[in-house]
């Protein structure tokens, strides 16, 4: 996603130990994420803050802390194995925080990968609200792109990992499968809204605008969970995935109000995710860095926090002074004056 959005200039690979968010020596050696790492990108003038969390069973508790502060969850499913124990665990955490969710079936270029089988395991585990919004073009070694069911267009990718792709009409050999999947998607989207249901019953279909709007609404209301296809290794499917994230995930203002309590009298309080409210933030992780000392990762829920300002720490019942504030891109940091 970072490479496809132009944020970094090379495609990182876990097996080569050069990805942005797996930078610890142990992670590079084991080829798995061990702790959560932050990164961000811009797509269609929207900034996406991403927390890459461990999926490996032994380290998945770190994902729970990260899910506490995000506004949506992207759950990655293995195209060969389908839904695994840790997939269900991560889903349960996201459900516990009442997060909008979408799923991406990755590794569709692998031997024995099957989108149909993975989708079947997803609907068995998470219900019929997990609905396919894409169909893969080709399978295993011949996996070459995806059909976007909302736009009704095919994204055909180069095989050189560049992410270069052409947007074309749906291939004729997939027309029947695409029509069937698109009709099922329309039916699920129509159930989200009475007005859409009426339109669907009257004409038997929905316009592309209604479909896109209904899908976004259904996801934000946690009534639909879009399922997409990808191969991260070949860089296939990143662009339509980024489009879906921007179109369907809620921005902080839409997820508000955030509920908390007044630390003095414990009365319920809420914030609406605006800069002109009193400042409030939540520290979800603290790292001991050998060079920089203690680094606290926090999410700002309201107001503005500036470097060198003084804030009230609720858990310690004390005023504390902020040092420098940095934005993290993996292990790289960039100083900012305020968040």
């Amino acid at each position: 996603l970072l490479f496809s959005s132009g944020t970094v200039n090379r495609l990182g690979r876990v097996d080569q130990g050069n990805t942005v968010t797996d930078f610890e020596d142990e992670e590079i050696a084991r080829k798995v994420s061990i702790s959560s790492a932050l990164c961000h990108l811009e797509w269609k003038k929207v900034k996406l803050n991403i927390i890459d969390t461990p999926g490996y069973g032994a380290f998945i508790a770190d994902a729970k802390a990260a899910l506490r502060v995000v506004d949506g969850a992207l759950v990655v499913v293995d195209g060969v194995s389908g839904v695994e124990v840790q997939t269900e665990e991560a889903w349960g955490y996201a459900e516990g925080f009442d997060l909008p969710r979408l799923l991406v079936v990755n590794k569709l270029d692998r031997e024995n990968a099957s989108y149909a089988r993975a989708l079947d395991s997803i609907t068995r585990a998470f219900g019929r609200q997990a609905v396919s919004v894409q169909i893969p073009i080709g399978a295993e070694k011949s996996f070459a792109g995806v059909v976007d069911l909302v736009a009704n267009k095919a994204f055909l990718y180069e095989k050189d990992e560049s992410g270069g792709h052409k947007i074309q009409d749906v291939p004729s050999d997939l027309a029947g499968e695409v029509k069937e999947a698109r009709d099922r998607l329309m039916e699920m989207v129509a159930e989200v809204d009475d007005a859409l249901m009426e339109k669907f019953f009257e004409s038997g279909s929905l316009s592309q605008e209604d479909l896109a709007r209904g899908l976004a609404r259904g996801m934000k209301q946690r009534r639909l969970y879009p399922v997409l296809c990808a191969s991260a290794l070949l860089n296939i499917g990143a662009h339509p995935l980024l489009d879906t994230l921007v179109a369907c995930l809620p921005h902080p203002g839409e997820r508000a109000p955030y509920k908390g309590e007044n630390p003095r009298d414990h009365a319920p309080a809420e914030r609406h995710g605006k800069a002109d409210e009193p400042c409030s933030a939540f520290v979800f992780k603290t790292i001991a860095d050998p060079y920089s000392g203690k680094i606290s990762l926090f999410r700002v829920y309201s107001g503005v926090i500036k470097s060198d300002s003084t804030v009230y720490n609720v858990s310690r019942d004390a005023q504390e002074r902020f040092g420098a504030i940095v934005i993290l891109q993996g292990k790289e940091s960039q100083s900012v004056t305020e968040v």
Side-chain angles (χ1 to χ4, degrees):
L1 297 181
L2 292 170
F3 176 69
S4 296
S5 63
T7 309
V8 297
N9 56 15
R10 70 169 177 174
L11 185 68
R13 298 167 75 105
V14 172
D15 55 0
Q16 290 174 4
N18 59 7
T19 64
V20 173
T21 53
D22 286 349
F23 51 83
E24 301 284 357
D25 295 342
E26 197 71 13
E27 292 179 313
I28 293 167
R30 289 178 183 235
K31 298 182 172 51
V32 293
S33 300
I34 291 173
S35 60
S36 300
L38 277 68
C39 61
H40 55 89
L41 59 86
E42 204 168 290
W43 188 252
K44 296 190 171 173
K45 297 187 176 173
V46 173
K47 186 187 178 198
L48 289 172
N49 293 297
I50 301 170
I51 307 181
D52 176 26
T53 66
Y56 193 68
F59 311 116
I60 203 161
D62 213 41
K64 190 174 185 180
L67 285 164
R68 163 74 171 75
V69 293
V70 294
D71 288 315
L74 173 60
V75 180
V76 185
V77 176
D78 189 309
V80 181
S81 319
V83 172
E84 297 168 271
V85 173
Q86 58 265 35
T87 322
E88 297 198 48
E89 210 168 328
W91 184 272
Y93 292 155
E95 200 165 30
F97 293 123
D98 200 23
L99 290 174
R101 278 148 274 162
L102 67 165
L103 302 103
V104 61
V105 179
N106 189 26
K107 302 185 182 178
L108 285 174
D109 58 306
R110 298 281 172 94
E111 209 176 308
N112 296 325
S114 162
Y115 180 67
R117 202 170 58 237
L119 184 63
D120 185 49
S121 77
I122 286 167
T123 46
R124 276 204 316 272
F126 309 129
R128 62 190 277 275
Q129 292 99 324
V131 61
S132 185
V133 295
Q134 288 180 352
I135 292 288
I137 300 169
E140 299 182 14
K141 277 184 183 159
S142 61
F143 178 53
V146 301
V147 175
D148 181 330
L149 297 176
V150 178
N152 211 15
K153 291 284 179 194
F155 287 72
L156 274 168
Y157 279 81
E158 308 285 344
K159 280 291 178 119
D160 57 3
E161 302 170 10
S162 67
H165 60 282
K166 295 187 180 111
I167 300 176
Q168 300 177 340
D169 289 333
V170 175
S172 54
D173 58 331
L174 286 175
E177 192 185 340
V178 167
K179 184 182 182 322
E180 195 181 315
R182 202 164 190 258
D183 288 347
R184 195 178 311 123
L185 175 62
M186 279 183 192
E187 208 173 303
M188 291 301 295
V189 167
E191 286 181 21
V192 168
D193 185 289
D194 290 344
L196 288 179
M197 188 62 111
E198 276 177 39
K199 274 188 190 177
F200 183 66
F201 276 138
E202 276 170 27
S203 59
S205 72
L206 295 173
S207 68
Q208 191 186 322
E209 289 76 19
D210 282 340
L211 191 55
R213 208 167 34 241
L215 181 67
R217 187 182 301 147
M219 191 178 147
K220 286 168 188 172
Q221 292 174 354
R222 278 88 65 212
R223 291 172 65 185
L224 291 177
Y225 308 115
V227 185
L228 299 93
C229 332
S231 161
L233 214 54
L234 299 179
N235 195 12
I236 294 176
H239 305 80
L241 173 56
L242 284 166
D243 287 344
T244 307
L245 292 174
V246 166
C248 291
L249 280 178
H251 60 73
E254 289 175 300
R255 276 271 291 156
Y258 299 99
K259 297 188 185 307
E261 59 173 45
N262 184 318
R264 291 191 173 81
D265 58 8
H266 302 291
E270 50 185 47
R271 297 281 182 264
H272 294 89
K274 294 185 177 147
D276 57 4
E277 291 181 291
C279 79
S280 56
F282 182 82
V283 174
F284 62 95
K285 186 172 181 172
T286 300
I287 309 163
D289 185 89
Y291 305 106
S292 315
K294 205 165 78 168
I295 300 171
S296 290
L297 307 183
F298 63 93
R299 152 85 194 260
V300 177
Y301 282 97
S302 64
V304 178
I305 290 182
K306 301 187 180 198
S307 52
D308 294 328
S309 61
T310 303
V311 292
Y312 172 61
N313 182 333
V314 175
S315 46
R316 290 191 180 161
D317 190 19
Q319 296 288 338
E320 283 193 13
R321 190 179 173 82
F322 262 85
I325 296 180
V326 297
I327 304 278
L328 291 177
Q329 188 73 287
K331 66 179 174 185
E332 306 296 326
S333 62
Q334 175 200 346
S335 289
V336 290
T337 52
E338 60 176 43
V339 226

